Amino acid sequence: MAAAAASFSALPFLLLLLLVPSLDGASNVTYDHRSLIISGRRRLVISTSIHYPRSVPEMWPKLVAEAKDGGADCIETYVFWNGHEIAPGQYYFEDRFDLVRFVKVVRDAGLLLILRIGPYVAAEWNYGGVPVWLHYVPGTVFRTNNEPFKNHMKSFTTYIVDMMKKEQLFASQGGNIILAQIENEYGDYYEQAYGAGGKPYAMWAASMALAQNTGVPWIMCQESDAPDPVINSCNGFYCDGFQPNSPTKPKIWTENWPGWFQTFGESNPHRPPEDVAFAVARFFEKGGSVQNYYVYHGGTNFGRTTGGPFITTSYDYDAPIDEYGLRRFPKWAHLRELHKSIRLCEHTLLYGNTTFLSLGPKQEADIYSDQSGGCVAFLANIDSANDKVVTFRNRQYDLPAWSVSILPDCRNVVFNTAKVQSQTSMVTMVPESLQASKPERWSIFRERTGIWGKNDFVRNGFVDHINTTKDSTDYLWYTTSFSVDGSYSSKGSHAVLNIDSNGHGVHAFLNNVLIGSAYGNGSQSRFSVKLTINLRTGKNELALLSMTVGLQNAGFAYEWIGAGFTNVNISGVRTGIIDLSSNNWAYKIGLEGEYYNLFKPDQTNNQRWIPQSEPPKNQPLTWYKVNVDVPQGDDPVGIDMQSMGKGLAWLNGNAIGRYWPRTSSINDRCTPSCNYRGTFIPDKCRTGCGQPTQRWYHIPRSWFHPSGNILVVFEEKGGDPTKITFSRRAVTSVCSFVSEHFPSIDLESWDESAMNEGTPPAKAQLSCPEGKSISSVKFASLGNPSGTCRSYQMGRCHHPNSLSVVEKACLNTNSCTVSLTDESFGKDLCHGVTKTLAIEADCS
C-alpha cells in the first residue's frame, strides 16, 4: 500500500493545518509501515483522550476546542458498554452517554476520532465497562473463549458499529472515525492466564471486528499477536522502542500515560511535562505515526462509575485528572509547542529516508531527508544525569540531560523537550459560600441502623455482597444479635470485635452506636479489623454496613472477585471466643434514603426531611439537604468536601459521586520537587503526603439552575456540613523561566529562509486567562535566579532594572512579551553568565 509522493517545502505551521484531509467526503483510510494513509496522504496523528461520559454534553465543545488548541488533530474515546446496555437488549444513549452527539461534536470541530469499542475497556471504569448483569447470565466467563460472553460482546459491538454507520461517521463514509479498536490490553498475559481459551478468544475478537466492514483499520493495543490486517499498538510511559508485529504496519501509541491513576488513601502521582515531551519526541523520532495522550479530559466519573475498587477518578482538582486535559499540567503549553514543532517536520518524517548517527556514548541523532531537499533532525541526550554539548554538521548544540532537540531544517533548534519556554499557569481553588445570598435552613434525614422496614432475607452465615446487591447500591446491611451474661468479662481485658472481609469497607454498629470503620486499599481490597467494644448484659445487636467502592475493573477472572464478610467473632471474654459467623444474619439491600429517592428533585418536600436550625455535626448515617446559590463567574466549579467523612452527593438530582477525603500517609515517599530526568515510574513524583487524597469534586455548571438549587449529601461516618463550600478553579498567577540559550523561533510563522538571517533573542511570554489582566509582578530577575514558580530566588547575578522592565511591559495587560536583550534591560552586568529571566505575576 504505497502512498503517493508529494512535493514539500518548509511551510508555516498554519498552512500545514490547512492540509488536514477534508471530512466532507469519503476518505479511504489505509496504512503502510510509515503511517496511516488518509485520502492518499500519509499522516502523523496527535490525539488526546476525551471519554464522553466523564463529562457532560455541555462541556464537550469546549473540551474539544481546548484539545485542538493544544495541537491535537484527533480525539480518542472508549465506548462504555455498561453505560449503554443497561439490561440485555435495552440501550441508553442519552445525556452524557450520547455517543453519536459526541462524535459529531468532534467532527464539527474538524478533528479525527479513534473509537475504542472494546467493549471491555478497563479505563479505571466500573467493572471494566462490562455490564454487571452479564456476570449472571448462566455459563458466562468474561474475556475468554466462552460462547455466552462472545455472543453478547458481538451483539454490542455490532450495535455500535451499525449506529456509527447509520450516522455515516466512519471516514469511509465521509465521517471522522479513522480507527476502531477491539478488546483492550489482552496480550500475552491474559492469553496465558486464560489457558486454552485465551488465544482463540483474541483471534476470534479480531475476526469478529474485521467482519464488521467499517472501512477503517482495526487496532488491538498490547496484543503482540494481532493477526493481519489488525494493527497491534503500544500502551505505556514510553513507546519509542516499540515495533509492530509486521513490517507492513505503522507504529501506534494508543496510550501515552501523562500521569498515573491515584487510589483512595494514596498520594498523588504526577509526571513532569518535560518527561512527557521527551517521550513524545522520541516516539516520532523513532518512526512513530499515531500518538494518543491517555489523560481523561473531563475527568469525572459521575455517580457510581468509579473503577476500582478504590481507584480515584471521581474528579479531584488535586489529582492528575481535570476538566481541561493537557491543561492539567501547569506547563501544559510546553506540549503545544512540541506539537507545532513536530508538524513542521511532518512531510519529511513521513516521506524521507532516515539515517542514524551516534553523537556520543548516550547522545544520538536521527536524520530524515526527502527528495525535495527537506531535512529534519532529532538530537537526543538519553543520559539521565549529565548535560552535553554535541557537534552536529559542524555546529555545536547544547543538550540538557534526558532531552531531545528538534531541528526542522537540520540546522536550527525550534524546540527542546527540557527547555520550557512557555509559561507556567498556577491554579488556585477560590472558595465561595454555599449560600452567598441568604442563609437557609438545612433539612436532615437519619438512616436507621441495621434493618429498616422489613429484612430482605435471613441466612445462616454470610452472603457475598456483590452477588447480593448486583451493584445496584454500594450498601448492604448484615445484622445479627447475641446474648452475654454478667460474667462475660475477663479480668484486665476488654472484649474485641474481630472482622474479616473481602472488601471494600465496613461501618460497625453495636447497639446502635458506631464503634469503628475499616477499609481495604487500592492494592488489596481485603481487610481485617479489631475493635474494642463494651458489651451489655443480655441481648446485644450488631449491625455491619458493608460497602463497595466501585467494582474491580481489570485482572484475570476479575468478575469473580467478591466482597463482604468472611468471619466475625468476639474475643477477650471469659467464655472464650464468641463465633458469630455461623449466626442467623438478617440482610437489607441499600439505604432507606436511597429507597425513597431523597436525592431527587421531586422529593424536596418529602415529609421525611426534618428542618433544622443548625444541621447536626459528626453524626453517622445522616442525609443533609440545603438550598445553594450558583457560584459567580464562569470558572469550573468544585465542591470542597474536606470537612466530611465519606458518602455520596447530588446537585439537583445529578449524582456528583462518592466523596472520601481520606488522608494519605506522610510516609508515602513524596518529594518537594520532581526531577524530570530519567525513566518515570508511578512512585517517582508523588505529592500531597499527609493531605486528603480527594477534596474537591467537580460540578458541571450546566447542572446549576439560576436559583433554587438543591444540594443533597449522604454522610456515612460523620462530618461538619456547615463547612462544605464551593470553589472556583481559577488561574491566579503565571510564571516564566527562560534562558537566553532557549529556542526562540516563532513556530507560527517559521520559515527556513528566515532562519538564515539569524536567530532571534529569547523572550518570556505571559498571558492571563481571557477577561483577566496582570495586576502585579511579584518577582522578576534577569541573571541567574533559581527555584520554581511561586518560590523563585535571586542569584548572585541580578539586573537591578528587572522588576521595572517587566512591570512596564506587563502591568494591566492581558499578555506581554519581554525579550532577553541589552535593549530591554541595559548593560550586561554579569559577563560570562548565561542569563535567565524569571517572572511571577498575578492575574486578576
PDB file of all heavy atoms in Angstrom, residues 818-842:
ATOM      1  N   VAL A 818       8.608  39.905  26.957  1.00  0.00           N
ATOM      2  CA  VAL A 818       9.818  40.586  27.403  1.00  0.00           C
ATOM      3  C   VAL A 818      11.019  39.866  26.784  1.00  0.00           C
ATOM      4  O   VAL A 818      11.230  38.678  27.041  1.00  0.00           O
ATOM      5  CB  VAL A 818       9.946  40.594  28.940  1.00  0.00           C
ATOM      6  CG1 VAL A 818      11.201  41.348  29.371  1.00  0.00           C
ATOM      7  CG2 VAL A 818       8.712  41.193  29.585  1.00  0.00           C
ATOM      8  N   SER A 819      11.778  40.570  25.967  1.00  0.00           N
ATOM      9  CA  SER A 819      12.939  39.979  25.310  1.00  0.00           C
ATOM     10  C   SER A 819      14.168  40.061  26.208  1.00  0.00           C
ATOM     11  O   SER A 819      14.363  41.051  26.925  1.00  0.00           O
ATOM     12  CB  SER A 819      13.231  40.689  23.984  1.00  0.00           C
ATOM     13  OG  SER A 819      12.163  40.516  23.079  1.00  0.00           O
ATOM     14  N   LEU A 820      14.995  39.028  26.148  1.00  0.00           N
ATOM     15  CA  LEU A 820      16.232  38.995  26.944  1.00  0.00           C
ATOM     16  C   LEU A 820      17.337  39.666  26.139  1.00  0.00           C
ATOM     17  O   LEU A 820      18.229  39.014  25.589  1.00  0.00           O
ATOM     18  CB  LEU A 820      16.603  37.561  27.298  1.00  0.00           C
ATOM     19  CG  LEU A 820      15.891  36.925  28.502  1.00  0.00           C
ATOM     20  CD1 LEU A 820      14.417  36.688  28.185  1.00  0.00           C
ATOM     21  CD2 LEU A 820      16.533  35.584  28.870  1.00  0.00           C
ATOM     22  N   THR A 821      17.277  40.989  26.053  1.00  0.00           N
ATOM     23  CA  THR A 821      18.248  41.739  25.260  1.00  0.00           C
ATOM     24  C   THR A 821      18.787  42.922  26.054  1.00  0.00           C
ATOM     25  O   THR A 821      18.166  43.383  27.023  1.00  0.00           O
ATOM     26  CB  THR A 821      17.594  42.285  23.970  1.00  0.00           C
ATOM     27  OG1 THR A 821      16.524  43.183  24.326  1.00  0.00           O
ATOM     28  CG2 THR A 821      17.037  41.146  23.129  1.00  0.00           C
ATOM     29  N   ASP A 822      19.945  43.426  25.612  1.00  0.00           N
ATOM     30  CA  ASP A 822      20.502  44.630  26.235  1.00  0.00           C
ATOM     31  C   ASP A 822      19.590  45.819  25.991  1.00  0.00           C
ATOM     32  O   ASP A 822      19.515  46.739  26.819  1.00  0.00           O
ATOM     33  CB  ASP A 822      21.894  44.908  25.673  1.00  0.00           C
ATOM     34  CG  ASP A 822      22.918  43.873  26.114  1.00  0.00           C
ATOM     35  OD1 ASP A 822      22.614  43.131  27.084  1.00  0.00           O
ATOM     36  OD2 ASP A 822      23.994  43.799  25.496  1.00  0.00           O
ATOM     37  N   GLU A 823      18.897  45.811  24.839  1.00  0.00           N
ATOM     38  CA  GLU A 823      17.978  46.912  24.548  1.00  0.00           C
ATOM     39  C   GLU A 823      16.864  46.985  25.581  1.00  0.00           C
ATOM     40  O   GLU A 823      16.362  48.064  25.918  1.00  0.00           O
ATOM     41  CB  GLU A 823      17.379  46.744  23.146  1.00  0.00           C
ATOM     42  CG  GLU A 823      18.344  47.003  22.011  1.00  0.00           C
ATOM     43  CD  GLU A 823      19.295  45.842  21.781  1.00  0.00           C
ATOM     44  OE1 GLU A 823      19.073  44.752  22.373  1.00  0.00           O
ATOM     45  OE2 GLU A 823      20.277  46.022  21.037  1.00  0.00           O
ATOM     46  N   SER A 824      16.438  45.820  26.094  1.00  0.00           N
ATOM     47  CA  SER A 824      15.369  45.790  27.092  1.00  0.00           C
ATOM     48  C   SER A 824      15.876  46.124  28.482  1.00  0.00           C
ATOM     49  O   SER A 824      15.243  46.888  29.225  1.00  0.00           O
ATOM     50  CB  SER A 824      14.701  44.407  27.104  1.00  0.00           C
ATOM     51  OG  SER A 824      14.079  44.122  25.873  1.00  0.00           O
ATOM     52  N   PHE A 825      17.040  45.568  28.866  1.00  0.00           N
ATOM     53  CA  PHE A 825      17.476  45.652  30.259  1.00  0.00           C
ATOM     54  C   PHE A 825      18.693  46.549  30.468  1.00  0.00           C
ATOM     55  O   PHE A 825      19.041  46.882  31.597  1.00  0.00           O
ATOM     56  CB  PHE A 825      17.788  44.245  30.781  1.00  0.00           C
ATOM     57  CG  PHE A 825      16.571  43.403  31.015  1.00  0.00           C
ATOM     58  CD1 PHE A 825      16.055  42.627  29.992  1.00  0.00           C
ATOM     59  CD2 PHE A 825      15.932  43.412  32.242  1.00  0.00           C
ATOM     60  CE1 PHE A 825      14.926  41.847  30.202  1.00  0.00           C
ATOM     61  CE2 PHE A 825      14.801  42.638  32.458  1.00  0.00           C
ATOM     62  CZ  PHE A 825      14.295  41.866  31.425  1.00  0.00           C
ATOM     63  N   GLY A 826      19.388  46.928  29.394  1.00  0.00           N
ATOM     64  CA  GLY A 826      20.565  47.755  29.573  1.00  0.00           C
ATOM     65  C   GLY A 826      21.841  46.941  29.584  1.00  0.00           C
ATOM     66  O   GLY A 826      21.869  45.765  29.214  1.00  0.00           O
ATOM     67  N   LYS A 827      22.893  47.552  30.047  1.00  0.00           N
ATOM     68  CA  LYS A 827      24.238  46.977  30.001  1.00  0.00           C
ATOM     69  C   LYS A 827      24.313  45.645  30.729  1.00  0.00           C
ATOM     70  O   LYS A 827      23.741  45.453  31.795  1.00  0.00           O
ATOM     71  CB  LYS A 827      25.226  47.977  30.629  1.00  0.00           C
ATOM     72  CG  LYS A 827      26.678  47.530  30.588  1.00  0.00           C
ATOM     73  CD  LYS A 827      27.571  48.590  31.226  1.00  0.00           C
ATOM     74  CE  LYS A 827      29.016  48.138  31.235  1.00  0.00           C
ATOM     75  NZ  LYS A 827      29.899  49.158  31.880  1.00  0.00           N
ATOM     76  N   ASP A 828      25.064  44.693  30.134  1.00  0.00           N
ATOM     77  CA  ASP A 828      25.296  43.379  30.735  1.00  0.00           C
ATOM     78  C   ASP A 828      26.192  43.550  31.969  1.00  0.00           C
ATOM     79  O   ASP A 828      27.333  44.008  31.874  1.00  0.00           O
ATOM     80  CB  ASP A 828      25.962  42.458  29.711  1.00  0.00           C
ATOM     81  CG  ASP A 828      26.137  41.041  30.232  1.00  0.00           C
ATOM     82  OD1 ASP A 828      25.807  40.789  31.416  1.00  0.00           O
ATOM     83  OD2 ASP A 828      26.598  40.182  29.458  1.00  0.00           O
ATOM     84  N   LEU A 829      25.640  43.186  33.122  1.00  0.00           N
ATOM     85  CA  LEU A 829      26.384  43.362  34.371  1.00  0.00           C
ATOM     86  C   LEU A 829      27.124  42.111  34.814  1.00  0.00           C
ATOM     87  O   LEU A 829      27.877  42.154  35.794  1.00  0.00           O
ATOM     88  CB  LEU A 829      25.417  43.801  35.485  1.00  0.00           C
ATOM     89  CG  LEU A 829      24.634  45.090  35.225  1.00  0.00           C
ATOM     90  CD1 LEU A 829      23.732  45.395  36.416  1.00  0.00           C
ATOM     91  CD2 LEU A 829      25.586  46.246  34.958  1.00  0.00           C
ATOM     92  N   CYS A 830      26.893  40.997  34.153  1.00  0.00           N
ATOM     93  CA  CYS A 830      27.499  39.722  34.572  1.00  0.00           C
ATOM     94  C   CYS A 830      28.066  39.023  33.343  1.00  0.00           C
ATOM     95  O   CYS A 830      27.440  38.112  32.783  1.00  0.00           O
ATOM     96  CB  CYS A 830      26.494  38.826  35.262  1.00  0.00           C
ATOM     97  SG  CYS A 830      25.639  39.577  36.661  1.00  0.00           S
ATOM     98  N   HIS A 831      29.228  39.461  32.896  1.00  0.00           N
ATOM     99  CA  HIS A 831      29.839  38.868  31.709  1.00  0.00           C
ATOM    100  C   HIS A 831      30.168  37.395  31.962  1.00  0.00           C
ATOM    101  O   HIS A 831      30.632  37.010  33.033  1.00  0.00           O
ATOM    102  CB  HIS A 831      31.116  39.631  31.333  1.00  0.00           C
ATOM    103  CG  HIS A 831      30.849  41.046  30.915  1.00  0.00           C
ATOM    104  ND1 HIS A 831      30.302  41.368  29.696  1.00  0.00           N
ATOM    105  CD2 HIS A 831      31.059  42.222  31.577  1.00  0.00           C
ATOM    106  CE1 HIS A 831      30.175  42.680  29.606  1.00  0.00           C
ATOM    107  NE2 HIS A 831      30.633  43.237  30.734  1.00  0.00           N
ATOM    108  N   GLY A 832      29.901  36.568  30.960  1.00  0.00           N
ATOM    109  CA  GLY A 832      30.208  35.147  31.065  1.00  0.00           C
ATOM    110  C   GLY A 832      29.138  34.310  31.720  1.00  0.00           C
ATOM    111  O   GLY A 832      29.291  33.091  31.845  1.00  0.00           O
ATOM    112  N   VAL A 833      28.066  34.947  32.173  1.00  0.00           N
ATOM    113  CA  VAL A 833      26.960  34.208  32.806  1.00  0.00           C
ATOM    114  C   VAL A 833      25.817  34.071  31.815  1.00  0.00           C
ATOM    115  O   VAL A 833      25.393  35.065  31.207  1.00  0.00           O
ATOM    116  CB  VAL A 833      26.467  34.943  34.076  1.00  0.00           C
ATOM    117  CG1 VAL A 833      25.240  34.222  34.659  1.00  0.00           C
ATOM    118  CG2 VAL A 833      27.579  35.027  35.104  1.00  0.00           C
ATOM    119  N   THR A 834      25.349  32.863  31.610  1.00  0.00           N
ATOM    120  CA  THR A 834      24.170  32.646  30.768  1.00  0.00           C
ATOM    121  C   THR A 834      22.965  33.221  31.484  1.00  0.00           C
ATOM    122  O   THR A 834      22.616  32.794  32.592  1.00  0.00           O
ATOM    123  CB  THR A 834      23.946  31.153  30.486  1.00  0.00           C
ATOM    124  OG1 THR A 834      25.090  30.632  29.793  1.00  0.00           O
ATOM    125  CG2 THR A 834      22.706  30.940  29.626  1.00  0.00           C
ATOM    126  N   LYS A 835      22.332  34.203  30.869  1.00  0.00           N
ATOM    127  CA  LYS A 835      21.251  34.940  31.537  1.00  0.00           C
ATOM    128  C   LYS A 835      19.933  34.175  31.482  1.00  0.00           C
ATOM    129  O   LYS A 835      19.564  33.598  30.465  1.00  0.00           O
ATOM    130  CB  LYS A 835      21.045  36.307  30.892  1.00  0.00           C
ATOM    131  CG  LYS A 835      22.304  37.145  30.804  1.00  0.00           C
ATOM    132  CD  LYS A 835      22.926  37.412  32.172  1.00  0.00           C
ATOM    133  CE  LYS A 835      24.088  38.376  32.053  1.00  0.00           C
ATOM    134  NZ  LYS A 835      25.202  37.849  31.209  1.00  0.00           N
ATOM    135  N   THR A 836      19.246  34.227  32.605  1.00  0.00           N
ATOM    136  CA  THR A 836      17.905  33.657  32.730  1.00  0.00           C
ATOM    137  C   THR A 836      16.984  34.729  33.282  1.00  0.00           C
ATOM    138  O   THR A 836      17.371  35.483  34.194  1.00  0.00           O
ATOM    139  CB  THR A 836      17.892  32.429  33.663  1.00  0.00           C
ATOM    140  OG1 THR A 836      18.693  31.392  33.090  1.00  0.00           O
ATOM    141  CG2 THR A 836      16.481  31.909  33.873  1.00  0.00           C
ATOM    142  N   LEU A 837      15.771  34.787  32.749  1.00  0.00           N
ATOM    143  CA  LEU A 837      14.759  35.720  33.256  1.00  0.00           C
ATOM    144  C   LEU A 837      13.650  34.919  33.925  1.00  0.00           C
ATOM    145  O   LEU A 837      13.014  34.074  33.289  1.00  0.00           O
ATOM    146  CB  LEU A 837      14.176  36.561  32.120  1.00  0.00           C
ATOM    147  CG  LEU A 837      13.025  37.511  32.491  1.00  0.00           C
ATOM    148  CD1 LEU A 837      13.462  38.517  33.559  1.00  0.00           C
ATOM    149  CD2 LEU A 837      12.492  38.239  31.259  1.00  0.00           C
ATOM    150  N   ALA A 838      13.441  35.175  35.215  1.00  0.00           N
ATOM    151  CA  ALA A 838      12.360  34.537  35.971  1.00  0.00           C
ATOM    152  C   ALA A 838      11.332  35.595  36.342  1.00  0.00           C
ATOM    153  O   ALA A 838      11.690  36.669  36.836  1.00  0.00           O
ATOM    154  CB  ALA A 838      12.900  33.871  37.227  1.00  0.00           C
ATOM    155  N   ILE A 839      10.051  35.285  36.098  1.00  0.00           N
ATOM    156  CA  ILE A 839       8.966  36.225  36.389  1.00  0.00           C
ATOM    157  C   ILE A 839       7.816  35.467  37.047  1.00  0.00           C
ATOM    158  O   ILE A 839       7.461  34.371  36.624  1.00  0.00           O
ATOM    159  CB  ILE A 839       8.427  36.903  35.104  1.00  0.00           C
ATOM    160  CG1 ILE A 839       9.542  37.553  34.303  1.00  0.00           C
ATOM    161  CG2 ILE A 839       7.339  37.914  35.448  1.00  0.00           C
ATOM    162  CD1 ILE A 839       9.084  38.072  32.934  1.00  0.00           C
ATOM    163  N   GLU A 840       7.260  36.082  38.079  1.00  0.00           N
ATOM    164  CA  GLU A 840       5.987  35.620  38.644  1.00  0.00           C
ATOM    165  C   GLU A 840       5.042  36.814  38.690  1.00  0.00           C
ATOM    166  O   GLU A 840       5.382  37.864  39.233  1.00  0.00           O
ATOM    167  CB  GLU A 840       6.154  35.044  40.046  1.00  0.00           C
ATOM    168  CG  GLU A 840       4.823  34.589  40.640  1.00  0.00           C
ATOM    169  CD  GLU A 840       4.919  34.162  42.100  1.00  0.00           C
ATOM    170  OE1 GLU A 840       6.063  33.976  42.593  1.00  0.00           O
ATOM    171  OE2 GLU A 840       3.858  34.038  42.747  1.00  0.00           O
ATOM    172  N   ALA A 841       3.854  36.646  38.120  1.00  0.00           N
ATOM    173  CA  ALA A 841       2.881  37.733  38.067  1.00  0.00           C
ATOM    174  C   ALA A 841       1.506  37.227  38.457  1.00  0.00           C
ATOM    175  O   ALA A 841       1.159  36.066  38.214  1.00  0.00           O
ATOM    176  CB  ALA A 841       2.835  38.339  36.659  1.00  0.00           C
ATOM    177  N   ASP A 842       0.710  38.114  39.070  1.00  0.00           N
ATOM    178  CA  ASP A 842      -0.654  37.778  39.464  1.00  0.00           C
ATOM    179  C   ASP A 842      -1.643  38.160  38.370  1.00  0.00           C
ATOM    180  O   ASP A 842      -1.483  39.190  37.702  1.00  0.00           O
ATOM    181  CB  ASP A 842      -1.038  38.510  40.755  1.00  0.00           C
ATOM    182  CG  ASP A 842      -0.369  37.911  41.973  1.00  0.00           C
ATOM    183  OD1 ASP A 842       0.048  36.735  41.902  1.00  0.00           O
ATOM    184  OD2 ASP A 842      -0.252  38.620  42.989  1.00  0.00           O
TER     185      ASP A 842
END
